[in-house]
Amino acid sequence: MRWVRRWLGLAVSVVSLAAVVYWMLQQPAPELPSSAEGLAWLSLSLVMTLVALALRGWRWHRIMVLAHVPHARSDAMALTAVAYMGNNVLPARGGEILKIGILGARSDARRREILGTVLAERLLDAIVLAGLFVVLSLGLADSPAGRGTAALIGAGLVLGFVALAVYLYLRRTGRFETFAATIRPVARALRLFAHPSGIPVVGLSVAIWVLEGLNLVVIAQSLSLSLSLLDGVLVITLASLAAAIPAAPGFAGTYDWGMILGLKAAGITAGAASGMLILSRFMYFVPPTVVGLIVLISRYGGLSTARRIARRSSASTGLEPA
């Protein structure tokens, strides 16, 4: 299965990248900022990218607090940058494995408990992205996927929360005790989805994705393009949902396909869309990668040390080593 996941992701990226490159070759030359005003907008975009990264680190810290996972807040902030760096350069979301392995070596928590907080992060992002897509597609912005798709996703979210409520009710009656005991070390962090203390974390996640959409608006401004905040959030939501498809490191091809699809729906096409794709790729991916690499080298002993730790932790978490 590991072989299938790795090569399936590579195949998806190759096909997606080929389609994106073919599309770009049919467009005029990309438009990139060259004026002082355009570069100033890009500077603001850089600041917003780093702020979003810091907020994600704080969110992971809060998730671990709710899950009673012992850790240093500075490690939560720093390892979030390391994870983003790893996801951009290593296969199979290797950054998450680095994050679990390094924190496991610096914390008294079991690695499966740390894994649970990472899974909670991923699930939280998926739920927030799906919710934003449904809300925006059903009346606030034009969606290339159509209202039918949004309605299906909305129904899926409702059914998921209904299933969670039924499970919690049955647990209170003493059912599924063996199952609960088996998954408890990993699932402890998922309590934020069923407890009022998790509401601020959900709100923070929504704020992070709105900030990412606003960042896209700023990138558009650097090219003297008009993009509303609602359209910006919808475009980044589509690109991020597409990035969830198994792909090569850096979500190669899938993110680009989603970004082009969203920009087209927002009325940005041709060379302007190519420029937006290139700039968004740079502003969203390069700064976190650089920061994560610096943190990894200066704080955690470099990539070779981190990968050794990650390999040891993979045996206890059941994840594929980076």
Side-chain angles (χ1 to χ4, degrees):
M1 288 303 299
R2 291 177 179 178
W3 183 90
V4 170
R5 287 197 303 268
R6 177 169 295 181
W7 288 101
L8 176 62
L10 180 60
V12 169
S13 281
V14 168
V15 173
S16 301
L17 278 176
V20 170
V21 170
Y22 176 80
W23 175 85
M24 292 184 71
L25 291 176
Q26 310 305 310
Q27 311 303 318
E31 301 174 8
L32 299 175
S34 56
S35 65
E37 181 181 358
L39 295 177
W41 281 111
L42 286 184
S43 299
L44 176 59
S45 173
L46 172 61
V47 172
M48 295 173 71
T49 296
L50 297 178
V51 169
L53 183 64
L55 290 176
R56 292 180 189 278
W58 177 263
R59 181 183 64 174
W60 188 38
H61 160 66
R62 291 304 306 164
I63 290 173
M64 287 192 287
V65 168
L66 292 175
H68 304 293
V69 174
H71 69 286
R73 183 174 58 189
S74 58
D75 278 330
M77 305 289 285
L79 287 174
T80 297
V82 171
Y84 270 77
M85 180 276 299
N87 287 340
N88 292 336
V89 301
L90 297 174
R93 288 186 177 267
E96 307 291 4
I97 302 171
L98 289 178
K99 182 163 71 171
I100 295 168
I102 295 173
L103 185 61
R106 299 169 67 91
S107 169
D108 295 331
R110 289 182 292 175
R111 286 177 172 82
R112 288 189 177 274
E113 293 174 334
I114 302 172
L115 169 63
T117 66
V118 173
L119 293 177
E121 267 193 302
R122 289 188 184 179
L123 184 58
L124 182 57
D125 270 336
I127 291 173
V128 170
L129 285 171
L132 286 173
F133 176 79
V134 171
V135 171
L136 293 172
S137 298
L138 291 180
L140 298 181
D142 293 329
S143 172
R147 293 192 173 189
T149 301
L152 287 175
I153 293 177
L157 286 175
V158 172
L159 289 175
F161 280 106
V162 168
L164 176 62
V166 171
Y167 169 76
L168 292 176
Y169 171 77
L170 293 176
R171 281 290 299 122
R172 293 190 188 98
T173 63
R175 308 287 181 88
F176 300 115
E177 181 60 39
T178 302
F179 173 75
T182 302
I183 68 169
R184 188 170 290 122
V186 174
R188 182 176 298 168
L190 299 179
R191 68 178 65 183
L192 69 90
F193 296 107
H195 196 275
S197 60
I199 294 176
V201 181
V202 176
L204 178 59
S205 298
V206 174
I208 288 171
W209 285 111
V210 171
L211 178 61
E212 298 281 25
L214 182 59
N215 195 352
L216 195 64
V217 174
V218 170
I219 293 173
Q221 285 292 325
S222 73
L223 295 172
S224 300
L225 297 173
S226 177
L227 184 68
S228 70
L229 176 58
L230 293 179
D231 281 335
V233 174
L234 179 59
V235 172
I236 200 63
T237 296
L238 282 170
S240 300
L241 288 174
I245 300 172
F251 319 109
T254 53
Y255 167 88
D256 311 272
W257 172 79
M259 179 64 65
I260 291 172
L261 189 67
L263 290 173
K264 183 178 179 181
I268 298 177
T269 58
S274 299
M276 284 287 293
L277 175 59
I278 294 171
L279 286 178
S280 67
R281 260 284 176 191
F282 185 88
M283 300 310 299
Y284 285 129
F285 288 82
V286 174
T289 300
V290 173
V291 171
L293 182 59
I294 293 173
V295 169
L296 182 63
I297 293 172
S298 62
R299 185 181 176 101
Y300 300 112
L303 185 59
S304 59
T305 300
R307 292 187 72 171
R308 260 197 323 272
I309 295 173
R311 287 193 185 98
R312 289 199 297 268
S313 72
S314 64
S316 59
T317 60
L319 293 176
E320 181 181 0

